[in-house]
Amino acid sequence: MAEQHTAAAAKTRKTGARSSGKSETSPELGALPEWNLTDLYRSIDAPEFKRDLERAETECVAFEKAYKGRLEELAAGKHPGQSLVEPVRRYEAIEDLLGRLLSYAMLVYTGNTADPHIAKFYGDTQERITAISLHLLFFGLELNRIDDALIEQAMADPALGHYRPWIEDLRKEKQYQLEDRIEQLFHEKSVSGSAAWNRLFDETIAGLRFEVNGEELAIEPTLSLLQDPHEEKRKAAAEALAATFKDNVRTFALITNTLAKDKEISDRWRGFVDVADARHLSNRVEREVVDALVSSVQAAYPKLSHRYYALKAKWFGKERLPHWDRNAPLPEVKMRTIAWPEARATVLEAYGAFSPVMAKIAERFFDDRWIDAPVRPGKAPGAFAHPTVPSAHPYVLLNYQGKPRDVMTLAHELGHGVHQVLAAPNGPLMAPTPLTLAETASVFGEMLTFKKLLAATDDPVQRKAMLASKCEDMINTVVRQIAFYTFERHVHTERKNGELTAERIGEIWMQVQSESLGPAIELKPGYEVFWSYIPHFVHSPFYVYAYAFGDCLVNSLYAVYEKADAGFAERYLAMLAAGGTKHHSELLKPFGLDARDPHFWQGGLGVIERLIAELEELDRAA
């Protein structure tokens, strides 16, 4: 419960050959940057890495020796605030050091999960840091045992009062913490438990190959073909994905069953009632707020996804679209490849029109090589922004292939990156943002970029294509992620009664997908195994509702922005700079928004509904 460094590092997920900061040049895409990890360490064999690992162990042992069993005594002393702030500051500095080490190992590994030398480095680092951090485990547990009146008196001192948000968040976990030796066992066994299964998933996914029209492809380019303008390629890619997933589905089912059981054991010991309560606690969001979001989205399925996909099927001249056409580009719309320099300029100009400060921060990611963009064998699929630690800076991973959606992904991840840079001054304990608000800046960055591109488009065919693409992105972010959350709830709830076969998991998947996508999408044979590659189910159970939370929140926030007087950008950046120091209700108050209001979600969903209505109007006018 108190493993701050692992929690921060897990928000993402190389020898130093992939940390050189070089560019990989493609004829169509231009020079794609590879990140420069030397700001953390020069290579996996760097003496500085070994030195810091040894220093971390020395400092953790010394910290335990100095403070274990003494915190209550310090809190009851003459100057409790001054007495307690010293160990908090030392703990914070150690967290930064451990976070730097673990972040580097994770980033190197993510760049090439197929290299056994790198995989060993990552595994060894995880094990060593887990062992080292055992010496810190007592700290959060003992802080939570201090009497409420005593800790409140200590926080009256401004020095310790600075850490009030972190201490209050920590004390919310008090009722779920266990006896020290059990906490130690949970912590130590995580390396051979959940972390090991996470690694198995990553390495299995990275090693999969999919035969598409006689060519063997990794997962990222195969998934990309689902957006190809030619239906035969989309179909071939979908069938290749299904075939390979089926060949490996028993492994994925075992991973899913084991992690669900592992979570059920932890939840039961800690006293969590609902399968998602631990996630809600870590997100600092009330269960009823999430329940309201979920029920609002589910009730809106017919007005959103069902309605949109019926319209899209009509554009394709079909009554129903096979699942491989769900994200297909519109027929008769010319597809073009967007080179990296254009993608960079598009996003930076959109950011700059909103806030020069925001654009200046985003520009550093390009200039200082904080981005890894090319598709490579062994590289993790997808995209992320990893904050590392406040004493360093974030890094962004992409798999850039020049599609319009790739530009939106760049805008999304840079939004995260800007947020992480702005929040960093809060320090290692208070910079991390709860997942519900962590998606705010990313989705807002996407919206800024989309609005800029739309405003510059006069051609009605292109405008229709852009609106359709945005609708699909929003449906994927809101409807699809709530369906994912519903799927997880079914799997984790049913797992309490015994293992689920791969077939049963597939049945649950097909049920929730059919409900959410609607009758205009035909889920062809093979789609029942498409649950198996979703990394969030493995790495961050119940994470996915954060995307829907963020999208609806941003839709409401953007509506305020469009009507706002001067000063909105400053209030927005201040919200991001707060990091994890404020509850979502406090952060949204300056904008007149309240996520606890039942009508709040309707406002966000209404934005999607209006986009679909505009598309229907364009269709009638054509």
Side-chain angles (χ1 to χ4, degrees):
M1 299 291 286
E3 297 147 289
Q4 298 293 327
H5 62 277
T6 36
K11 286 183 182 174
T12 68
R13 279 237 212 221
K14 284 182 178 309
T15 61
R18 284 298 177 191
S19 53
S20 61
K22 295 178 181 177
S23 294
E24 184 175 295
T25 302
S26 157
E28 282 189 308
L29 302 178
L32 296 174
E34 294 183 2
W35 52 27
N36 179 8
L37 299 181
T38 59
D39 288 351
L40 296 173
Y41 295 99
R42 288 182 296 160
S43 72
I44 65 175
D45 301 314
E48 295 86 357
F49 186 89
K50 183 180 179 183
R51 179 203 64 203
D52 280 357
L53 204 52
E54 290 171 353
R55 179 163 67 92
E57 183 166 17
T58 300
E59 292 188 10
C60 286
V61 170
F63 182 83
E64 183 180 38
K65 186 176 180 181
Y67 297 111
K68 188 172 184 180
R70 293 191 56 220
L71 297 187
E72 196 161 3
E73 171 197 334
L74 295 175
K78 193 173 181 181
H79 302 290
Q82 292 298 318
S83 299
L84 284 174
V85 78
E86 181 187 344
V88 171
R89 286 171 178 163
R90 280 183 64 178
Y91 178 80
E92 182 176 43
I94 293 170
E95 284 291 335
D96 192 89
L97 179 58
L98 290 173
R100 177 182 287 265
L101 290 160
L102 190 54
S103 291
Y104 177 73
M106 285 178 135
L107 291 170
V108 170
Y109 173 69
T110 306
N112 188 357
T113 62
D115 186 317
H117 185 49
I118 291 171
K120 173 177 165 52
F121 167 71
Y122 174 53
D124 288 350
T125 302
Q126 272 192 314
E127 287 187 19
R128 182 80 181 276
I129 288 177
T130 299
I132 289 170
S133 58
L134 278 172
H135 298 288
L136 302 178
L137 197 59
F138 78 92
F139 189 60
L141 302 175
E142 283 195 26
L143 268 179
N144 275 350
R145 292 196 188 105
I146 297 172
D147 182 77
D148 289 346
L150 284 178
I151 199 74
E152 192 61 43
Q153 182 182 345
M155 287 192 295
D157 186 309
L160 187 64
H162 169 74
Y163 293 96
R164 177 182 285 274
W166 176 73
I167 292 170
E168 289 182 344
D169 273 353
L170 186 68
R171 290 177 78 81
K172 288 174 185 173
E173 299 176 352
K174 182 177 180 177
Q175 70 184 96
Y176 304 107
Q177 71 184 38
L178 304 170
E179 186 267 323
D180 287 16
R181 283 181 61 79
I182 299 175
E183 290 287 357
Q184 181 178 339
L185 178 65
F186 273 31
H187 179 82
E188 199 162 355
K189 281 185 72 65
S190 66
V191 175
S192 58
S194 58
W197 291 97
N198 274 250
R199 180 176 161 187
L200 174 62
F201 174 83
D202 287 343
E203 293 184 13
T204 302
I205 283 288
L208 295 182
R209 291 298 177 264
F210 306 86
E211 189 173 333
V212 183
N213 296 328
E215 184 180 5
E216 278 202 347
L217 300 174
I219 189 168
E220 197 64 44
T222 310
L223 290 169
S224 182
L225 285 174
L226 296 176
Q227 299 171 39
D228 194 273
H230 301 99
E231 183 177 3
E232 64 274 13
K233 289 186 179 179
R234 297 194 299 270
K235 181 181 180 182
E239 290 175 345
L241 288 164
T244 300
F245 291 154
K246 276 185 180 177
D247 288 344
N248 294 271
V249 74
R250 289 188 65 189
T251 298
F252 291 123
L254 178 59
I255 292 169
T256 299
N257 274 288
T258 304
L259 287 172
K261 183 62 179 178
D262 183 77
K263 186 178 184 305
E264 186 270 326
I265 293 168
S266 293
D267 285 355
R268 177 161 36 85
W269 275 76
R270 294 192 182 284
F272 288 112
V273 176
D274 185 79
V275 291
D277 276 352
R279 174 62 64 196
H280 302 333
L281 177 66
S282 68
N283 281 346
R284 304 301 181 239
V285 64
E286 301 78 13
R287 189 201 301 173
E288 55 269 24
V289 172
V290 178
D291 289 347
L293 164 65
V294 172
S295 60
S296 295
V297 174
Q298 288 176 335
Y301 284 171
K303 295 185 292 185
L304 302 178
S305 48
H306 298 188
R307 178 181 173 191
Y308 174 77
Y309 290 127
L311 185 62
K312 186 169 185 176
K314 178 185 171 186
W315 294 334
F316 278 76
K318 299 179 180 180
E319 285 191 17
R320 303 181 75 197
L321 289 173
H323 65 261
W324 52 74
D325 284 345
R326 189 172 59 83
N327 287 322
L330 299 194
E332 300 178 11
V333 175
K334 186 179 179 183
M335 290 289 290
R336 71 183 185 92
T337 298
I338 301 169
W340 181 253
E342 183 183 348
R344 168 185 169 143
T346 298
V347 175
L348 290 181
E349 285 171 17
Y351 277 27
F354 174 74
S355 165
V357 173
M358 197 166 150
K360 190 172 182 181
I361 296 170
E363 194 167 17
R364 291 199 64 191
F365 283 78
F366 297 96
D367 293 345
D368 296 342
R369 297 290 175 84
W370 298 352
I371 301 175
D372 192 272
V375 176
R376 292 190 302 268
K379 181 178 175 180
F384 64 69
H386 177 46
T388 71
V389 288
S391 63
H393 56 76
Y395 284 95
V396 164
L397 179 140
L398 305 169
N399 280 276
Y400 189 82
Q401 296 175 78
K403 291 181 167 55
R405 273 198 174 90
D406 293 338
V407 179
M408 290 297 139
T409 300
L410 173 61
H412 181 102
E413 300 306 339
L414 282 177
H416 278 308
V418 169
H419 192 174
Q420 290 158 0
V421 169
L422 287 168
N426 293 299
L429 302 182
M430 295 184 293
T433 306
L435 294 182
T436 41
L437 289 169
E439 293 300 330
T440 304
S442 53
V443 178
F444 197 84
E446 277 190 79
M447 183 66 84
L448 289 171
T449 305
F450 169 72
K451 291 286 188 179
K452 178 187 182 301
L453 291 170
L454 189 66
T457 303
D458 297 323
D459 179 72
V461 175
Q462 287 296 329
R463 184 178 179 85
K464 177 181 173 181
M466 287 184 66
L467 285 169
S469 180
K470 185 60 178 173
C471 277
E472 289 179 18
D473 286 345
M474 287 178 150
I475 288 168
N476 284 336
T477 304
V478 177
V479 170
R480 190 163 171 78
Q481 301 306 321
I482 292 303
F484 283 0
Y485 175 71
T486 306
F487 167 75
E488 286 187 279
R489 290 193 62 85
H490 284 313
V491 168
H492 281 258
T493 301
E494 199 166 312
R495 178 64 180 90
K496 291 181 179 182
N497 300 320
E499 280 202 19
L500 282 72
T501 63
E503 290 74 19
R504 177 57 188 148
I505 298 172
E507 287 171 3
I508 297 170
W509 172 257
M510 294 293 276
Q511 177 192 336
V512 298
Q513 290 300 305
S514 178
E515 289 170 357
S516 64
L517 297 174
I521 297 292
E522 184 180 3
L523 303 179
K524 296 279 193 179
Y527 192 70
E528 69 276 2
V529 292
F530 271 55
W531 57 269
S532 58
Y533 79 96
I534 310 295
H536 296 92
F537 299 159
V538 173
H539 295 301
S540 312
F542 304 108
Y543 176 106
V544 288
Y545 73 74
Y547 289 112
F549 193 110
D551 198 275
C552 288
L553 189 158
V554 166
N555 287 342
S556 299
L557 196 63
Y558 202 88
V560 174
Y561 164 55
E562 290 184 313
K563 300 172 186 174
D565 298 326
F568 180 93
E570 289 74 17
R571 294 199 305 276
Y572 173 77
L573 294 181
M575 178 181 74
L576 301 187
T581 64
K582 295 180 180 179
H583 187 264
H584 63 79
S585 58
E586 192 178 354
L587 289 170
L588 294 177
K589 195 173 182 179
F591 305 97
L593 300 173
D594 185 356
R596 294 168 298 189
D597 182 343
H599 301 294
F600 174 80
W601 304 114
Q602 301 303 327
L605 296 171
V607 172
I608 309 173
E609 198 173 346
R610 286 191 291 277
L611 281 177
I612 297 172
E614 186 175 348
L615 277 169
E616 289 172 336
E617 185 61 37
L618 285 172
D619 202 46
R620 283 191 291 269

